[in-house]
Amino acid sequence: MDFDFSDDQLALRDAVARWVEKGFGFERRHGLAKAGGFTRAVWQELADLGLTGLAVPTEHGGMGFGPVEAMVVMEELGAGLVNAPFAQGALITPTLLQAAPAALQADWLPRVAEGSALVVLAHQERAARYRLHHVTTPAQREGDQWRLSGGKSVVPAGDEADAFIVPARLSGPADATEGIGLFLVTPGSPGCSVRGHATQDGARAAELQLQACPAHLVCEQGFAVLEQAVDIGIAALCAEGVGLMGKLTAITVEYMNTRKQFGTTLASFQALRHRIADVKMQLELARSMSYFASLKLGEPVPARRRAISQAKVQIGQSARFVGQQCIQLHGGIGVTDEYIASHYFKRLTMLEMQFGDRQ
């Protein structure tokens, strides 16, 4: 199997890396986090690069790229610690909207592609415990209109979004995979309440409350689409995690080559060099599983789901090991807010909990 990237994929990687280096240094990232984590301006810069149209079909103004290109971009954004909701708005959302009626697609997908609209998935409920099929938010039909009532938690960039895609129950018990519809809800609609808050990794999230809120139907049998979109999101997070771990490892190695103890650099101590070797082993395991997950996204559901689950477990294990080892090798400075390594550690910790933990 050929694991080499194409020239176009390498050019895409270089373009994102250059933007990160010139436009998103740690000082800017730290300032955004301290100001509350609002990143709509960063989203627009990604749009100016054409990245928000990465997964949008060409007939709606996007580039129509696949999972490998998404993986390449997410690795570089992870390495740069870019906390804009790129995976949510540019990878998950186009997958969900492609199941919508033609008019709804024509209304929203071009805006997603050009970056003028940020649409995010709002699917988590308080008692769900990461189960996608646990949906208690009811959808009621009134003539030609649908209304939703219920709550969704920890919606990424929820107080910056222009619309939400919300799973709601049309029929059946709370844990049935059948009877789950997908709906598009816009903030500011009657009965829609959004309460935003900062997250530990310097980004934003929100609690979404709906009370007889009008909604547009995306599709009536939405569980398979939702599952596919979440798998795409997990593969994207795996790639981001590889970028995060790779950069944190490089920062740690640089620190060990400059920090002196007992008159010599930390890198000269054999025990510490062995620990870095273990860190790099975990990084390569994570990289392999990230590739595996992305390449399996086009497979039939059982093979895709198994690959995504395996990758999520490995990324979680690697993220915890790499994060903890690198922070310990730094010593006390590694956990200070002013030092870059602590922010990589926070993001790795948050990433492990998104779309389900290792359990």
Side-chain angles (χ1 to χ4, degrees), residues 54-235:
L54 193 75
V56 176
T58 55
E59 60 265 29
H60 292 292
M63 293 186 284
F65 283 163
V68 175
E69 288 80 11
M71 180 185 71
V72 164
V73 171
M74 288 303 301
E75 274 194 33
E76 293 302 323
L77 294 181
L81 206 59
V82 178
N83 56 351
F86 179 79
Q88 280 282 342
L91 302 179
I92 295 175
T93 292
T95 302
L96 295 167
L97 285 176
Q98 286 177 62
L104 202 62
Q105 290 190 44
D107 187 18
W108 285 96
L109 281 173
R111 286 192 276 166
V112 170
E114 69 184 14
S116 61
L118 173 60
V119 184
V120 297
L121 173 63
H123 72 287
Q124 295 191 86
E125 296 189 0
R126 288 184 177 273
R129 300 296 299 171
Y130 301 123
R131 293 170 294 169
L132 290 179
H133 56 272
H134 183 88
V135 177
T136 61
T137 300
Q140 299 292 332
R141 189 165 193 168
E142 296 181 0
D144 294 332
Q145 191 176 57
W146 291 90
R147 293 189 178 274
L148 309 184
S149 297
K152 303 291 181 177
S153 297
V154 199
V155 180
D159 56 349
E160 297 185 276
D162 299 296
F164 310 102
I165 296 180
V166 181
R169 185 153 296 283
L170 301 172
S171 62
D175 286 312
T177 57
E178 299 295 325
I180 297 174
L182 298 179
F183 297 85
L184 188 140
V185 174
T186 54
S189 299
C192 179
S193 172
V194 180
R195 180 172 59 85
H197 58 84
T199 57
Q200 285 294 321
D201 59 346
R204 299 290 300 175
E207 301 298 301
L208 177 64
Q209 292 295 324
L210 305 172
Q211 186 62 45
C213 177
H216 299 282
L217 178 66
V218 174
C219 63
E220 292 194 23
Q221 295 297 325
F223 180 73
V225 179
L226 175 63
E227 196 175 55
Q228 180 188 14
V230 168
D231 284 351
I232 288 171
I234 293 173

